[in-house]
Amino acid sequence: MLLDIKKIFGTYDEPVTAALELDLSEEDFPGYTVPGTVEARITATPQGRMLENALDITADVAFACARCLEERTRRFHVVKTYCVREADLSDPDAELSFTPDGKLDVRELAYTELVLEVPTVLLCSDDCAGLCPVCGNRKPCSCRHETSGSVDERLSILKQLLND
């Protein structure tokens, strides 16, 4: 969806709002997917010679926990505000990138904000204990955690401290 920022600068004195449902399921996210639709709302509010663009997106993110590998889904809500001057429409170094005719790709902006806002390490819970290195089950498990003979001799003093 392209929002015509150039037209908003020249035509509107009141805020312009667009509510969208974006499909980002085919996009390549780092370590997670966004399987459903992303709810997005963008509001462009003229403020003198500036245009305040408020982006509000809500997305469900599917991932495997980084500690226990359990599949989970978590909802993320991202709110960002950008101020744009008319001169920014043709500036290649502006915070937002516009098409040559002054339009903003809301889909691309939503994708970028999700990549920046969703943590790189996702956990099913903050206190996830992860997997047992002996049996491979989720901790806590009932197996013995002693690994006879496999302790590096240089670290054996540390094992003695734990036993004391």
Side-chain angles (χ1 to χ4, degrees), residues 41-73:
R41 175 183 290 286
I42 187 157
T43 303
T45 306
Q47 302 207 346
R49 301 181 78 190
M50 299 280 286
L51 189 64
E52 181 181 278
N53 294 294
L55 176 68
D56 185 326
I57 54 177
T58 303
D60 289 328
V61 170
F63 62 95
C65 174
R67 289 186 188 151
C68 70
L69 305 178
E70 187 172 315
E71 293 293 325
R72 290 293 178 115
T73 301

mmCIF file of all heavy atoms in Angstrom, residues 41-73:
data_model
loop_
_atom_site.group_PDB
_atom_site.id
_atom_site.type_symbol
_atom_site.label_atom_id
_atom_site.label_comp_id
_atom_site.label_asym_id
_atom_site.label_seq_id
_atom_site.Cartn_x
_atom_site.Cartn_y
_atom_site.Cartn_z
ATOM 1 N N ARG A 41 -2.006 0.765 11.054
ATOM 2 C CA ARG A 41 -2.725 2.030 10.935
ATOM 3 C C ARG A 41 -1.665 3.115 10.831
ATOM 4 O O ARG A 41 -0.739 3.164 11.627
ATOM 5 C CB ARG A 41 -3.604 2.267 12.155
ATOM 6 C CG ARG A 41 -4.289 3.635 12.148
ATOM 7 C CD ARG A 41 -5.093 3.892 13.398
ATOM 8 N NE ARG A 41 -6.291 3.103 13.527
ATOM 9 C CZ ARG A 41 -7.424 3.280 12.843
ATOM 10 N NH1 ARG A 41 -7.478 4.215 11.931
ATOM 11 N NH2 ARG A 41 -8.468 2.539 13.055
ATOM 12 N N ILE A 42 -1.824 3.936 9.810
ATOM 13 C CA ILE A 42 -0.905 5.069 9.667
ATOM 14 C C ILE A 42 -1.735 6.339 9.614
ATOM 15 O O ILE A 42 -2.767 6.394 8.932
ATOM 16 C CB ILE A 42 0.028 4.934 8.435
ATOM 17 C CG1 ILE A 42 1.073 6.053 8.449
ATOM 18 C CG2 ILE A 42 -0.743 4.884 7.143
ATOM 19 C CD1 ILE A 42 2.317 5.762 7.686
ATOM 20 N N THR A 43 -1.307 7.313 10.390
ATOM 21 C CA THR A 43 -2.000 8.601 10.440
ATOM 22 C C THR A 43 -1.000 9.687 10.093
ATOM 23 O O THR A 43 0.046 9.809 10.734
ATOM 24 C CB THR A 43 -2.588 8.852 11.847
ATOM 25 O OG1 THR A 43 -3.466 7.785 12.184
ATOM 26 C CG2 THR A 43 -3.359 10.165 11.888
ATOM 27 N N ALA A 44 -1.322 10.457 9.062
ATOM 28 C CA ALA A 44 -0.488 11.576 8.641
ATOM 29 C C ALA A 44 -1.170 12.864 9.084
ATOM 30 O O ALA A 44 -2.284 13.157 8.652
ATOM 31 C CB ALA A 44 -0.304 11.556 7.128
ATOM 32 N N THR A 45 -0.502 13.596 9.968
ATOM 33 C CA THR A 45 -1.082 14.812 10.535
ATOM 34 C C THR A 45 -0.254 16.021 10.108
ATOM 35 O O THR A 45 0.920 16.138 10.497
ATOM 36 C CB THR A 45 -1.113 14.730 12.077
ATOM 37 O OG1 THR A 45 -1.787 13.536 12.462
ATOM 38 C CG2 THR A 45 -1.813 15.929 12.669
ATOM 39 N N PRO A 46 -0.846 16.934 9.306
ATOM 40 C CA PRO A 46 -0.119 18.155 8.925
ATOM 41 C C PRO A 46 0.137 19.036 10.148
ATOM 42 O O PRO A 46 -0.760 19.246 10.962
ATOM 43 C CB PRO A 46 -1.076 18.850 7.952
ATOM 44 C CG PRO A 46 -2.036 17.796 7.518
ATOM 45 C CD PRO A 46 -2.152 16.848 8.660
ATOM 46 N N GLN A 47 1.372 19.504 10.274
ATOM 47 C CA GLN A 47 1.747 20.397 11.373
ATOM 48 C C GLN A 47 2.626 21.499 10.806
ATOM 49 O O GLN A 47 3.847 21.437 10.894
ATOM 50 C CB GLN A 47 2.477 19.630 12.465
ATOM 51 C CG GLN A 47 1.657 18.504 13.010
ATOM 52 C CD GLN A 47 2.023 18.165 14.431
ATOM 53 O OE1 GLN A 47 3.039 18.570 14.960
ATOM 54 N NE2 GLN A 47 1.171 17.403 15.063
ATOM 55 N N GLY A 48 1.965 22.469 10.191
ATOM 56 C CA GLY A 48 2.702 23.552 9.546
ATOM 57 C C GLY A 48 3.416 23.033 8.317
ATOM 58 O O GLY A 48 2.810 22.450 7.430
ATOM 59 N N ARG A 49 4.738 23.173 8.305
ATOM 60 C CA ARG A 49 5.525 22.719 7.166
ATOM 61 C C ARG A 49 6.020 21.282 7.345
ATOM 62 O O ARG A 49 6.792 20.781 6.553
ATOM 63 C CB ARG A 49 6.704 23.661 6.964
ATOM 64 C CG ARG A 49 6.209 25.102 6.714
ATOM 65 C CD ARG A 49 7.317 26.047 6.490
ATOM 66 N NE ARG A 49 7.776 25.839 5.117
ATOM 67 C CZ ARG A 49 8.868 26.371 4.628
ATOM 68 N NH1 ARG A 49 9.628 27.122 5.392
ATOM 69 N NH2 ARG A 49 9.218 26.153 3.384
ATOM 70 N N MET A 50 5.546 20.632 8.407
ATOM 71 C CA MET A 50 5.926 19.250 8.705
ATOM 72 C C MET A 50 4.689 18.362 8.605
ATOM 73 O O MET A 50 3.558 18.832 8.709
ATOM 74 C CB MET A 50 6.478 19.133 10.133
ATOM 75 C CG MET A 50 7.704 19.953 10.413
ATOM 76 S SD MET A 50 9.203 19.186 9.823
ATOM 77 C CE MET A 50 9.412 17.909 10.988
ATOM 78 N N LEU A 51 4.944 17.095 8.412
ATOM 79 C CA LEU A 51 3.879 16.094 8.393
ATOM 80 C C LEU A 51 4.296 15.011 9.383
ATOM 81 O O LEU A 51 5.346 14.390 9.214
ATOM 82 C CB LEU A 51 3.715 15.506 6.991
ATOM 83 C CG LEU A 51 2.526 14.606 6.758
ATOM 84 C CD1 LEU A 51 1.219 15.363 6.926
ATOM 85 C CD2 LEU A 51 2.593 14.008 5.365
ATOM 86 N N GLU A 52 3.488 14.849 10.434
ATOM 87 C CA GLU A 52 3.782 13.819 11.421
ATOM 88 C C GLU A 52 3.081 12.533 10.999
ATOM 89 O O GLU A 52 1.872 12.505 10.842
ATOM 90 C CB GLU A 52 3.297 14.251 12.805
ATOM 91 C CG GLU A 52 3.604 13.241 13.872
ATOM 92 C CD GLU A 52 3.094 13.683 15.220
ATOM 93 O OE1 GLU A 52 3.797 14.477 15.879
ATOM 94 O OE2 GLU A 52 1.995 13.232 15.598
ATOM 95 N N ASN A 53 3.865 11.477 10.796
ATOM 96 C CA ASN A 53 3.334 10.178 10.378
ATOM 97 C C ASN A 53 3.447 9.217 11.556
ATOM 98 O O ASN A 53 4.562 8.902 11.980
ATOM 99 C CB ASN A 53 4.109 9.624 9.180
ATOM 100 C CG ASN A 53 3.907 10.479 7.960
ATOM 101 O OD1 ASN A 53 2.823 10.562 7.437
ATOM 102 N ND2 ASN A 53 4.976 11.140 7.521
ATOM 103 N N ALA A 54 2.308 8.769 12.062
ATOM 104 C CA ALA A 54 2.295 7.828 13.186
ATOM 105 C C ALA A 54 1.925 6.451 12.652
ATOM 106 O O ALA A 54 0.868 6.274 12.047
ATOM 107 C CB ALA A 54 1.297 8.286 14.236
ATOM 108 N N LEU A 55 2.807 5.486 12.862
ATOM 109 C CA LEU A 55 2.585 4.116 12.433
ATOM 110 C C LEU A 55 2.293 3.269 13.663
ATOM 111 O O LEU A 55 3.027 3.307 14.647
ATOM 112 C CB LEU A 55 3.821 3.574 11.711
ATOM 113 C CG LEU A 55 3.766 2.112 11.277
ATOM 114 C CD1 LEU A 55 2.733 1.929 10.162
ATOM 115 C CD2 LEU A 55 5.127 1.638 10.823
ATOM 116 N N ASP A 56 1.218 2.494 13.601
ATOM 117 C CA ASP A 56 0.810 1.616 14.704
ATOM 118 C C ASP A 56 0.567 0.239 14.095
ATOM 119 O O ASP A 56 -0.329 0.082 13.265
ATOM 120 C CB ASP A 56 -0.464 2.178 15.330
ATOM 121 C CG ASP A 56 -0.912 1.415 16.550
ATOM 122 O OD1 ASP A 56 -0.719 0.184 16.612
ATOM 123 O OD2 ASP A 56 -1.481 2.052 17.452
ATOM 124 N N ILE A 57 1.394 -0.743 14.453
ATOM 125 C CA ILE A 57 1.239 -2.079 13.885
ATOM 126 C C ILE A 57 1.140 -3.130 14.990
ATOM 127 O O ILE A 57 1.753 -2.994 16.058
ATOM 128 C CB ILE A 57 2.387 -2.451 12.912
ATOM 129 C CG1 ILE A 57 3.756 -2.288 13.561
ATOM 130 C CG2 ILE A 57 2.321 -1.651 11.661
ATOM 131 C CD1 ILE A 57 4.908 -2.699 12.669
ATOM 132 N N THR A 58 0.355 -4.161 14.724
ATOM 133 C CA THR A 58 0.204 -5.298 15.623
ATOM 134 C C THR A 58 0.388 -6.556 14.794
ATOM 135 O O THR A 58 -0.275 -6.726 13.769
ATOM 136 C CB THR A 58 -1.182 -5.300 16.297
ATOM 137 O OG1 THR A 58 -1.349 -4.060 17.000
ATOM 138 C CG2 THR A 58 -1.318 -6.452 17.263
ATOM 139 N N ALA A 59 1.301 -7.434 15.256
ATOM 140 C CA ALA A 59 1.603 -8.649 14.500
ATOM 141 C C ALA A 59 1.830 -9.812 15.446
ATOM 142 O O ALA A 59 2.420 -9.650 16.520
ATOM 143 C CB ALA A 59 2.843 -8.432 13.636
ATOM 144 N N ASP A 60 1.365 -10.987 15.042
ATOM 145 C CA ASP A 60 1.674 -12.224 15.756
ATOM 146 C C ASP A 60 2.925 -12.818 15.130
ATOM 147 O O ASP A 60 3.006 -12.978 13.908
ATOM 148 C CB ASP A 60 0.513 -13.210 15.642
ATOM 149 C CG ASP A 60 -0.695 -12.759 16.451
ATOM 150 O OD1 ASP A 60 -0.501 -12.115 17.500
ATOM 151 O OD2 ASP A 60 -1.828 -13.038 16.033
ATOM 152 N N VAL A 61 3.896 -13.138 15.987
ATOM 153 C CA VAL A 61 5.182 -13.663 15.542
ATOM 154 C C VAL A 61 5.298 -15.114 16.009
ATOM 155 O O VAL A 61 5.111 -15.404 17.189
ATOM 156 C CB VAL A 61 6.332 -12.802 16.123
ATOM 157 C CG1 VAL A 61 7.674 -13.437 15.884
ATOM 158 C CG2 VAL A 61 6.281 -11.400 15.541
ATOM 159 N N ALA A 62 5.583 -16.024 15.079
ATOM 160 C CA ALA A 62 5.770 -17.443 15.398
ATOM 161 C C ALA A 62 7.265 -17.739 15.423
ATOM 162 O O ALA A 62 8.003 -17.328 14.528
ATOM 163 C CB ALA A 62 5.066 -18.312 14.359
ATOM 164 N N PHE A 63 7.695 -18.486 16.457
ATOM 165 C CA PHE A 63 9.124 -18.745 16.631
ATOM 166 C C PHE A 63 9.332 -20.010 17.445
ATOM 167 O O PHE A 63 8.422 -20.507 18.103
ATOM 168 C CB PHE A 63 9.797 -17.564 17.331
ATOM 169 C CG PHE A 63 9.257 -17.300 18.721
ATOM 170 C CD1 PHE A 63 9.884 -17.840 19.838
ATOM 171 C CD2 PHE A 63 8.116 -16.544 18.909
ATOM 172 C CE1 PHE A 63 9.394 -17.613 21.104
ATOM 173 C CE2 PHE A 63 7.605 -16.312 20.178
ATOM 174 C CZ PHE A 63 8.251 -16.846 21.284
ATOM 175 N N ALA A 64 10.553 -20.505 17.404
ATOM 176 C CA ALA A 64 10.973 -21.598 18.274
ATOM 177 C C ALA A 64 11.794 -20.968 19.396
ATOM 178 O O ALA A 64 12.719 -20.189 19.131
ATOM 179 C CB ALA A 64 11.807 -22.616 17.508
ATOM 180 N N CYS A 65 11.458 -21.311 20.646
ATOM 181 C CA CYS A 65 12.177 -20.761 21.803
ATOM 182 C C CYS A 65 13.674 -21.046 21.644
ATOM 183 O O CYS A 65 14.082 -22.149 21.297
ATOM 184 C CB CYS A 65 11.645 -21.382 23.096
ATOM 185 S SG CYS A 65 12.581 -20.892 24.565
ATOM 186 N N ALA A 66 14.497 -20.047 21.907
ATOM 187 C CA ALA A 66 15.943 -20.176 21.749
ATOM 188 C C ALA A 66 16.573 -21.114 22.779
ATOM 189 O O ALA A 66 17.678 -21.594 22.569
ATOM 190 C CB ALA A 66 16.606 -18.800 21.839
ATOM 191 N N ARG A 67 15.861 -21.422 23.862
ATOM 192 C CA ARG A 67 16.415 -22.324 24.885
ATOM 193 C C ARG A 67 15.849 -23.736 24.807
ATOM 194 O O ARG A 67 16.583 -24.699 24.922
ATOM 195 C CB ARG A 67 16.142 -21.758 26.279
ATOM 196 C CG ARG A 67 16.956 -20.533 26.582
ATOM 197 C CD ARG A 67 16.772 -20.100 28.013
ATOM 198 N NE ARG A 67 17.407 -18.822 28.247
ATOM 199 C CZ ARG A 67 17.010 -17.950 29.140
ATOM 200 N NH1 ARG A 67 15.982 -18.224 29.920
ATOM 201 N NH2 ARG A 67 17.634 -16.812 29.282
ATOM 202 N N CYS A 68 14.525 -23.867 24.650
ATOM 203 C CA CYS A 68 13.918 -25.201 24.699
ATOM 204 C C CYS A 68 13.378 -25.668 23.351
ATOM 205 O O CYS A 68 12.901 -26.791 23.233
ATOM 206 C CB CYS A 68 12.808 -25.232 25.742
ATOM 207 S SG CYS A 68 11.334 -24.286 25.283
ATOM 208 N N LEU A 69 13.399 -24.813 22.360
ATOM 209 C CA LEU A 69 12.958 -25.103 20.993
ATOM 210 C C LEU A 69 11.454 -25.321 20.859
ATOM 211 O O LEU A 69 10.982 -25.753 19.818
ATOM 212 C CB LEU A 69 13.716 -26.306 20.413
ATOM 213 C CG LEU A 69 15.234 -26.198 20.430
ATOM 214 C CD1 LEU A 69 15.862 -27.453 19.879
ATOM 215 C CD2 LEU A 69 15.698 -24.970 19.669
ATOM 216 N N GLU A 70 10.676 -25.010 21.892
ATOM 217 C CA GLU A 70 9.219 -25.144 21.823
ATOM 218 C C GLU A 70 8.653 -24.061 20.901
ATOM 219 O O GLU A 70 9.055 -22.902 20.963
ATOM 220 C CB GLU A 70 8.615 -25.004 23.222
ATOM 221 C CG GLU A 70 7.142 -25.294 23.248
ATOM 222 C CD GLU A 70 6.603 -25.334 24.663
ATOM 223 O OE1 GLU A 70 7.242 -25.951 25.532
ATOM 224 O OE2 GLU A 70 5.547 -24.733 24.887
ATOM 225 N N GLU A 71 7.729 -24.476 20.034
ATOM 226 C CA GLU A 71 7.106 -23.530 19.100
ATOM 227 C C GLU A 71 6.133 -22.638 19.866
ATOM 228 O O GLU A 71 5.303 -23.126 20.636
ATOM 229 C CB GLU A 71 6.379 -24.276 17.991
ATOM 230 C CG GLU A 71 7.300 -25.041 17.054
ATOM 231 C CD GLU A 71 8.180 -24.129 16.212
ATOM 232 O OE1 GLU A 71 7.736 -23.025 15.819
ATOM 233 O OE2 GLU A 71 9.328 -24.524 15.945
ATOM 234 N N ARG A 72 6.229 -21.341 19.650
ATOM 235 C CA ARG A 72 5.374 -20.377 20.330
ATOM 236 C C ARG A 72 4.947 -19.283 19.373
ATOM 237 O O ARG A 72 5.541 -19.086 18.326
ATOM 238 C CB ARG A 72 6.112 -19.713 21.508
ATOM 239 C CG ARG A 72 6.387 -20.605 22.676
ATOM 240 C CD ARG A 72 5.074 -20.993 23.336
ATOM 241 N NE ARG A 72 5.300 -21.889 24.427
ATOM 242 C CZ ARG A 72 5.052 -21.607 25.685
ATOM 243 N NH1 ARG A 72 4.577 -20.439 26.019
ATOM 244 N NH2 ARG A 72 5.281 -22.508 26.609
ATOM 245 N N THR A 73 3.934 -18.538 19.799
ATOM 246 C CA THR A 73 3.492 -17.343 19.083
ATOM 247 C C THR A 73 3.343 -16.235 20.107
ATOM 248 O O THR A 73 2.807 -16.450 21.192
ATOM 249 C CB THR A 73 2.148 -17.583 18.371
ATOM 250 O OG1 THR A 73 2.301 -18.656 17.451
ATOM 251 C CG2 THR A 73 1.697 -16.348 17.609
#
